[in-house]
mmCIF file of all heavy atoms in Angstrom:
data_model
loop_
_atom_site.group_PDB
_atom_site.id
_atom_site.type_symbol
_atom_site.label_atom_id
_atom_site.label_comp_id
_atom_site.label_asym_id
_atom_site.label_seq_id
_atom_site.Cartn_x
_atom_site.Cartn_y
_atom_site.Cartn_z
ATOM 1 N N GLU A 4 80.855 145.182 122.106
ATOM 2 C CA GLU A 4 80.596 144.101 123.023
ATOM 3 C C GLU A 4 81.711 143.053 122.851
ATOM 4 O O GLU A 4 82.038 142.651 121.702
ATOM 5 C CB GLU A 4 79.232 143.502 122.760
ATOM 6 C CG GLU A 4 78.861 142.449 123.722
ATOM 7 C CD GLU A 4 77.418 141.972 123.527
ATOM 8 O OE1 GLU A 4 76.576 142.792 123.160
ATOM 9 O OE2 GLU A 4 77.187 140.755 123.722
ATOM 10 N N GLN A 5 82.272 142.563 123.921
ATOM 11 C CA GLN A 5 83.298 141.544 123.868
ATOM 12 C C GLN A 5 82.688 140.202 123.943
ATOM 13 O O GLN A 5 81.718 139.979 124.620
ATOM 14 C CB GLN A 5 84.300 141.728 125.065
ATOM 15 C CG GLN A 5 84.996 143.089 125.068
ATOM 16 C CD GLN A 5 85.893 143.258 123.829
ATOM 17 O OE1 GLN A 5 86.590 142.336 123.425
ATOM 18 N NE2 GLN A 5 85.838 144.399 123.219
ATOM 19 N N PRO A 6 83.290 139.222 123.227
ATOM 20 C CA PRO A 6 82.728 137.896 123.284
ATOM 21 C C PRO A 6 82.879 137.282 124.683
ATOM 22 O O PRO A 6 83.794 137.639 125.423
ATOM 23 C CB PRO A 6 83.612 137.079 122.291
ATOM 24 C CG PRO A 6 84.798 137.915 122.083
ATOM 25 C CD PRO A 6 84.471 139.305 122.407
ATOM 26 N N GLU A 7 81.973 136.419 125.027
ATOM 27 C CA GLU A 7 81.989 135.760 126.338
ATOM 28 C C GLU A 7 83.230 134.853 126.485
ATOM 29 O O GLU A 7 83.868 134.842 127.508
ATOM 30 C CB GLU A 7 80.733 134.972 126.585
ATOM 31 C CG GLU A 7 80.592 134.365 127.948
ATOM 32 C CD GLU A 7 79.315 133.659 128.153
ATOM 33 O OE1 GLU A 7 78.273 134.130 127.705
ATOM 34 O OE2 GLU A 7 79.327 132.602 128.797
ATOM 35 N N LYS A 8 83.563 134.119 125.433
ATOM 36 C CA LYS A 8 84.677 133.224 125.457
ATOM 37 C C LYS A 8 85.675 133.674 124.360
ATOM 38 O O LYS A 8 85.243 133.872 123.199
ATOM 39 C CB LYS A 8 84.241 131.787 125.180
ATOM 40 C CG LYS A 8 83.332 131.179 126.233
ATOM 41 C CD LYS A 8 84.150 130.847 127.446
ATOM 42 C CE LYS A 8 83.246 130.145 128.479
ATOM 43 N NZ LYS A 8 83.876 129.856 129.676
ATOM 44 N N TYR A 9 86.933 133.801 124.720
ATOM 45 C CA TYR A 9 87.914 134.184 123.735
ATOM 46 C C TYR A 9 88.550 132.982 123.039
ATOM 47 O O TYR A 9 89.062 133.082 121.957
ATOM 48 C CB TYR A 9 89.006 135.022 124.391
ATOM 49 C CG TYR A 9 88.598 136.461 124.470
ATOM 50 C CD1 TYR A 9 87.837 136.916 125.519
ATOM 51 C CD2 TYR A 9 88.989 137.343 123.508
ATOM 52 C CE1 TYR A 9 87.456 138.276 125.545
ATOM 53 C CE2 TYR A 9 88.619 138.661 123.538
ATOM 54 C CZ TYR A 9 87.828 139.129 124.571
ATOM 55 O OH TYR A 9 87.448 140.444 124.647
ATOM 56 N N TRP A 10 88.596 131.844 123.706
ATOM 57 C CA TRP A 10 89.294 130.675 123.166
ATOM 58 C C TRP A 10 88.368 129.619 122.717
ATOM 59 O O TRP A 10 87.354 129.339 123.400
ATOM 60 C CB TRP A 10 90.254 130.100 124.258
ATOM 61 C CG TRP A 10 91.317 131.045 124.627
ATOM 62 C CD1 TRP A 10 91.358 131.822 125.762
ATOM 63 C CD2 TRP A 10 92.539 131.337 123.940
ATOM 64 N NE1 TRP A 10 92.531 132.545 125.778
ATOM 65 C CE2 TRP A 10 93.254 132.240 124.667
ATOM 66 C CE3 TRP A 10 93.113 130.851 122.747
ATOM 67 C CZ2 TRP A 10 94.507 132.732 124.258
ATOM 68 C CZ3 TRP A 10 94.291 131.309 122.365
ATOM 69 C CH2 TRP A 10 95.002 132.260 123.106
ATOM 70 N N GLU A 11 88.725 128.981 121.652
ATOM 71 C CA GLU A 11 88.005 127.800 121.179
ATOM 72 C C GLU A 11 89.081 126.744 120.847
ATOM 73 O O GLU A 11 90.191 127.079 120.420
ATOM 74 C CB GLU A 11 87.211 128.106 119.936
ATOM 75 C CG GLU A 11 86.049 129.009 120.219
ATOM 76 C CD GLU A 11 85.223 129.276 118.964
ATOM 77 O OE1 GLU A 11 85.745 129.141 117.823
ATOM 78 O OE2 GLU A 11 84.050 129.659 119.113
ATOM 79 N N PHE A 12 88.691 125.481 121.032
ATOM 80 C CA PHE A 12 89.605 124.388 120.693
ATOM 81 C C PHE A 12 88.688 123.234 120.231
ATOM 82 O O PHE A 12 87.755 122.818 120.960
ATOM 83 C CB PHE A 12 90.409 123.938 121.873
ATOM 84 C CG PHE A 12 91.316 122.763 121.576
ATOM 85 C CD1 PHE A 12 92.555 122.965 120.999
ATOM 86 C CD2 PHE A 12 90.881 121.444 121.813
ATOM 87 C CE1 PHE A 12 93.350 121.884 120.686
ATOM 88 C CE2 PHE A 12 91.709 120.387 121.535
ATOM 89 C CZ PHE A 12 92.940 120.601 120.952
ATOM 90 N N PHE A 13 88.959 122.724 119.066
ATOM 91 C CA PHE A 13 88.183 121.629 118.509
ATOM 92 C C PHE A 13 89.094 120.482 118.141
ATOM 93 O O PHE A 13 90.135 120.689 117.523
ATOM 94 C CB PHE A 13 87.429 122.045 117.263
ATOM 95 C CG PHE A 13 86.436 123.185 117.537
ATOM 96 C CD1 PHE A 13 86.775 124.475 117.290
ATOM 97 C CD2 PHE A 13 85.210 122.900 118.064
ATOM 98 C CE1 PHE A 13 85.906 125.525 117.571
ATOM 99 C CE2 PHE A 13 84.317 123.935 118.303
ATOM 100 C CZ PHE A 13 84.682 125.241 118.094
ATOM 101 N N ASP A 14 88.753 119.259 118.573
ATOM 102 C CA ASP A 14 89.482 118.067 118.214
ATOM 103 C C ASP A 14 88.907 117.622 116.887
ATOM 104 O O ASP A 14 87.817 117.051 116.832
ATOM 105 C CB ASP A 14 89.303 116.994 119.302
ATOM 106 C CG ASP A 14 90.100 115.749 118.995
ATOM 107 O OD1 ASP A 14 90.327 115.445 117.771
ATOM 108 O OD2 ASP A 14 90.490 115.025 119.940
ATOM 109 N N LEU A 15 89.560 117.924 115.831
ATOM 110 C CA LEU A 15 89.024 117.643 114.497
ATOM 111 C C LEU A 15 88.920 116.134 114.179
ATOM 112 O O LEU A 15 88.180 115.830 113.242
ATOM 113 C CB LEU A 15 89.833 118.408 113.449
ATOM 114 C CG LEU A 15 89.806 119.877 113.581
ATOM 115 C CD1 LEU A 15 90.612 120.522 112.484
ATOM 116 C CD2 LEU A 15 88.404 120.418 113.600
ATOM 117 N N GLU A 16 89.638 115.339 114.886
ATOM 118 C CA GLU A 16 89.485 113.877 114.678
ATOM 119 C C GLU A 16 88.187 113.432 115.297
ATOM 120 O O GLU A 16 87.448 112.590 114.784
ATOM 121 C CB GLU A 16 90.660 113.105 115.221
ATOM 122 C CG GLU A 16 91.921 113.334 114.375
ATOM 123 C CD GLU A 16 93.097 112.581 114.909
ATOM 124 O OE1 GLU A 16 92.983 111.879 115.932
ATOM 125 O OE2 GLU A 16 94.197 112.691 114.304
ATOM 126 N N GLU A 17 87.878 113.891 116.526
ATOM 127 C CA GLU A 17 86.641 113.466 117.190
ATOM 128 C C GLU A 17 85.468 114.329 116.842
ATOM 129 O O GLU A 17 84.317 113.922 117.032
ATOM 130 C CB GLU A 17 86.884 113.535 118.752
ATOM 131 C CG GLU A 17 87.843 112.517 119.251
ATOM 132 C CD GLU A 17 87.930 112.495 120.726
ATOM 133 O OE1 GLU A 17 86.969 112.905 121.468
ATOM 134 O OE2 GLU A 17 88.939 112.008 121.273
ATOM 135 N N ASP A 18 85.673 115.558 116.395
ATOM 136 C CA ASP A 18 84.631 116.521 116.131
ATOM 137 C C ASP A 18 84.917 117.288 114.868
ATOM 138 O O ASP A 18 85.173 118.508 114.912
ATOM 139 C CB ASP A 18 84.489 117.463 117.368
ATOM 140 C CG ASP A 18 83.388 118.446 117.206
ATOM 141 O OD1 ASP A 18 82.488 118.329 116.406
ATOM 142 O OD2 ASP A 18 83.460 119.476 117.941
ATOM 143 N N PRO A 19 84.900 116.625 113.701
ATOM 144 C CA PRO A 19 85.322 117.269 112.465
ATOM 145 C C PRO A 19 84.436 118.447 112.040
ATOM 146 O O PRO A 19 84.852 119.275 111.268
ATOM 147 C CB PRO A 19 85.300 116.145 111.422
ATOM 148 C CG PRO A 19 84.401 115.101 111.997
ATOM 149 C CD PRO A 19 84.526 115.256 113.514
#
Side-chain angles (χ1 to χ4, degrees):
E4 186 174 323
Q5 298 297 316
E7 185 176 321
K8 297 284 184 184
Y9 276 85
W10 295 101
E11 293 182 337
F12 179 86
F13 299 96
D14 182 332
L15 298 180
E16 289 181 0
E17 290 187 24
D18 181 18

